[in-house]
Amino acid sequence: MKSLSRILKGNPTVTESTVYYVLVICCISHFLNDMIQSIIPSIYPILKDKFDFSFAQIGIITLVFQMTSSILQPFTGLSADRHPRPYALSVGMCFTLAGLLMLAFAENYLLILLAVSVVGFGSSMFHPTASRVAQLASGGKKSLAQSIFQVGGNGGPLLAALIILPFGQHAISWFAIAALLAALIMVRLGAWYKARLQYAVKHPRKAEVLNTHISRRAKYGALLILILLVFSKYFYTSCITSYFTFYLIDKFGVSVQASQICLFVFLAAFAIGTLAGGVFGDRFGRKYVIWFSILGAAPFALAMPYVSLTWTIVFTFLSGLIIASAFSSIVVYATDLMPDKIGMISGVF
């Protein structure tokens, strides 16, 4: 195996073992991408005060963003499966950069909706292709690889609290630096992916026959159950990221910046839980991690409305930790069911 220094000089290595430096680059890229995107829910208090938006209008902003960043992902993932484009990662970040600058200077509701949709479209291009790259670099440690990839991108709300909130909406444009950095890093990721595709063409292997004992009906039934599990998890997560700050401000009278830091506690727990779940999923079995995640978070979530501020933060941390632990296991289960459509399945989830 070539050294990392040689790889970074333009000689990507293709191996069958776990390529940790590629997984780390995936993680950093995901961090930068999701950091930029997490600015959107973080600035809701600013937008609400500046434009006097209702909670319904805030919800529509979230809906438009989720439609473009999430609903489009299966289609961009299917395209990535059929026509792999290694540098689509950088192109997607260029869309994110454009949407970011639009959002920084948007002066009406329609422009804000357009800006978040452009940012979301950039995300929909990034995630399925990056997930494919992570699986290619996993070397068989699929849950670990998926968790390393997923763990990136939970620092946005904290940075918003420290940078955007004191200086206002226009400070969003400062994150263009992060977008440019992400685009450059993704060029390196695209170079490794391109080399991996070329290697596969030059060294074709006999196609693996997987899950032949599973009927078509059982396969799609299992996929439906996994989709419902992820939907329930991200329904809860989306509610927290969109409205948790308002809840803390209204019930406990905390400042906007303090509420953002509390939101970051939840997202930090989400990152820790994602990484830990990948490690435990490979070691002890993905089924057990999924069961723990399903049953373990409910008591803390149910108790949160009835406890003090301190216990609210503690329970938020624990629920985020537990909820996130199963995500990589769920995605790996699903991609194992349809190994020829990794991009599409990753986009769905």
Side-chain angles (χ1 to χ4, degrees):
M1 180 187 254
K2 299 175 184 177
S3 66
L4 178 58
S5 61
R6 187 177 177 189
I7 291 166
L8 295 178
K9 289 178 181 178
N11 297 286
T13 296
V14 179
T15 72
E16 298 301 322
S17 60
T18 305
V19 189
Y20 285 103
Y21 87 88
V22 170
L23 296 178
V24 170
I25 293 176
C26 285
C27 178
I28 295 172
S29 300
H30 201 183
F31 171 82
L32 293 171
N33 182 80
D34 283 15
M35 179 188 72
I36 293 168
Q37 290 180 76
S38 61
I39 290 171
I40 293 173
S42 298
I43 64 168
Y44 285 167
I46 293 177
L47 297 179
K48 189 175 186 302
D49 290 340
K50 181 177 179 179
F51 299 102
D52 196 27
F53 289 158
S54 67
F55 284 112
Q57 288 175 303
I58 294 293
I60 291 173
I61 293 174
T62 299
L63 175 64
V64 170
F65 176 64
Q66 293 294 339
M67 287 289 289
T68 54
S69 66
S70 299
I71 303 302
L72 283 180
Q73 281 195 41
F75 303 101
T76 57
L78 183 61
S79 175
D81 290 329
R82 293 178 175 176
H83 309 287
R85 296 179 177 88
Y87 296 103
L89 296 165
S90 292
V91 173
M93 182 49 61
C94 291
F95 277 97
T96 300
L97 173 59
L100 193 68
L101 294 176
M102 290 173 60
L103 183 61
F105 300 100
E107 291 298 331
N108 60 65
Y109 190 62
L110 289 179
L111 282 179
I112 290 172
L113 292 179
L114 178 61
V116 299
S117 67
V118 173
V119 173
F121 181 71
S123 172
S124 72
M125 293 185 67
F126 168 77
H127 284 92
T129 299
S131 187
R132 280 176 56 86
V133 173
Q135 288 233 7
L136 287 172
S138 68
K141 298 178 181 179
K142 293 182 179 181
S143 290
L144 176 62
Q146 191 68 36
S147 65
I148 292 175
F149 166 64
Q150 290 294 338
V151 79
N154 293 280
L158 179 60
L159 290 175
L162 298 176
I163 297 176
I164 295 176
L165 292 175
F167 297 99
Q169 180 185 357
H170 295 331
I172 297 172
S173 61
W174 298 354
F175 286 84
I177 298 173
L180 290 173
L181 177 61
L184 293 174
I185 292 175
M186 290 176 194
V187 169
R188 170 53 53 196
L189 203 59
W192 184 89
Y193 185 27
K194 182 178 180 181
R196 186 65 178 82
L197 293 173
Q198 291 173 344
Y199 177 86
V201 171
K202 294 178 181 178
H203 302 82
R205 296 184 302 173
K206 185 178 179 180
E208 296 181 16
V209 181
L210 298 175
N211 302 315
T212 54
H213 62 288
I214 301 177
S215 68
R216 185 183 183 90
R217 181 178 179 180
K219 180 185 297 186
Y220 285 103
L223 284 173
L224 178 61
I225 292 172
L226 294 172
I227 288 171
L228 291 175
L229 288 176
V230 168
F231 180 82
S232 66
K233 291 176 181 299
Y234 273 92
F235 186 88
Y236 178 82
T237 304
S238 182
C239 290
I240 290 289
T241 55
S242 295
Y243 298 110
F244 188 54
T245 54
F246 297 115
Y247 171 76
L248 294 176
I249 292 170
D250 180 67
K251 183 171 183 178
F252 299 108
V254 302
S255 67
V256 174
Q257 286 179 295
S259 71
Q260 292 291 345
I261 294 173
C262 293
L263 176 60
F264 176 74
V265 170
F266 172 78
L267 295 175
F270 211 83
I272 296 169
T274 299
L275 187 59
V279 174
F280 291 135
D282 283 331
R283 179 168 296 183
F284 300 111
R286 300 180 187 113
K287 178 178 67 175
Y288 301 109
V289 173
I290 293 174
W291 274 112
F292 171 73
S293 179
I294 292 171
L295 301 175
F300 301 109
L302 292 172
M304 247 188 282
Y306 308 103
V307 296
S308 65
L309 175 61
T310 300
W311 283 108
T312 297
I313 304 307
V314 172
F315 287 178
T316 300
F317 179 86
L318 292 174
S319 63
L321 188 78
I322 296 170
I323 285 173
S325 63
F327 184 77
S328 59
S329 294
I330 291 172
V331 173
V332 171
Y333 257 128
T335 55
D336 282 349
L337 288 170
M338 302 187 71
D340 58 330
K341 292 183 174 60
I342 293 176
M344 185 191 75
I345 294 298
S346 298
V348 168
F349 283 86

